[in-house]
Amino acid sequence: MATIFGVDSAERPTTLVSNGQTLYDWVTSKAGQAPAFWGRYIGGSYAITSDEATFLHNKNCKILLIYNGATSSSVSSTDGTADGQKAAKAANALNVPSTTAIYADIEQPWKPTSTWIKGFAKTLYNNQFGPGFYANTVSGYFNTPYTTAYKEDTTYVGNHSSLVWPCQPEPGSSTAAGRPTWNPTPPPCLTQSNITFWQYAENCYGTKNKGNTYAISVDLDEARDSAATINLW
């Protein structure tokens, strides 16, 4: 099965690295080809800017949007509506087209509830965005509440309008051509056919910024096929 290579990062792809290249060019040289998509944040810290989006689009690089405004407290104590509204507001401020997918960053060991998952998905869907979730899918911290939401909500979660982006397993860094055979771990209620994106390695292609003051790296991803990138920005 053909897959598509991409990356995600907290750092902007326009950042100049130690050799004077942009991070985008550095990643392209290390990977052996340009990424087809680049995951970037909205709604929290390290958020993507309109200038950065223009830079990527001019490179024919799609943008995978990651909502990083949720917290361990909000996912465990709210119904997800506020986080969904914040994600939609951030996307609208950037003029992101409707139907674009927005993946909530759910970190381990946060304890999201099924109520939060259902509320986040419903709110984004009602704002005409595709709701998604980035998570470690070999752990019960996400799988248990997601499976409950999947069974209880057949409109926004159980009908696969809600997407999952696993970060497991992690076979390790590679070039674009050497990326692993498609093998993400889905939650128990899904199969691999329901998964469109897989983060298969973290903290790769490390370098320093132009001032040589802190490390920069990216995470490596792949999409199942070209159809997977339709709902990207």
Side-chain angles (χ1 to χ4, degrees), residues 5 17-18 29 51-52 56-57 101 120 132 159 169 189 192 207 212:
F5 175 76
V17 296
S18 58
S29 67
D51 287 346
E52 182 186 340
L56 288 171
H57 288 153
F120 182 82
N159 68 352
C189 57
Q192 280 191 353
T207 183
N212 204 39

Side-chain angles (χ1 to χ4, degrees), residues 60-132:
N60 294 317
C61 183
K62 295 271 193 174
I63 302 170
L64 190 162
L65 290 178
I66 309 161
Y67 171 65
N68 70 328
T71 66
S72 59
S73 176
S74 71
V75 301
S76 62
S77 63
T78 72
D79 66 0
T81 300
D83 276 319
Q85 290 174 338
K86 186 176 178 181
K89 182 178 179 180
N92 285 328
L94 291 165
N95 295 315
V96 174
S98 61
T99 73
T100 299
I102 302 174
Y103 287 79
D105 182 10
I106 309 299
E107 294 291 335
Q108 190 172 5
W110 293 1
K111 301 185 184 303
T113 65
S114 59
T115 299
W116 184 89
I117 290 171
K118 291 184 290 186
F120 182 82
K122 180 179 179 179
T123 302
L124 272 190
Y125 187 83
N126 286 342
N127 278 276
Q128 300 185 348
F129 292 107

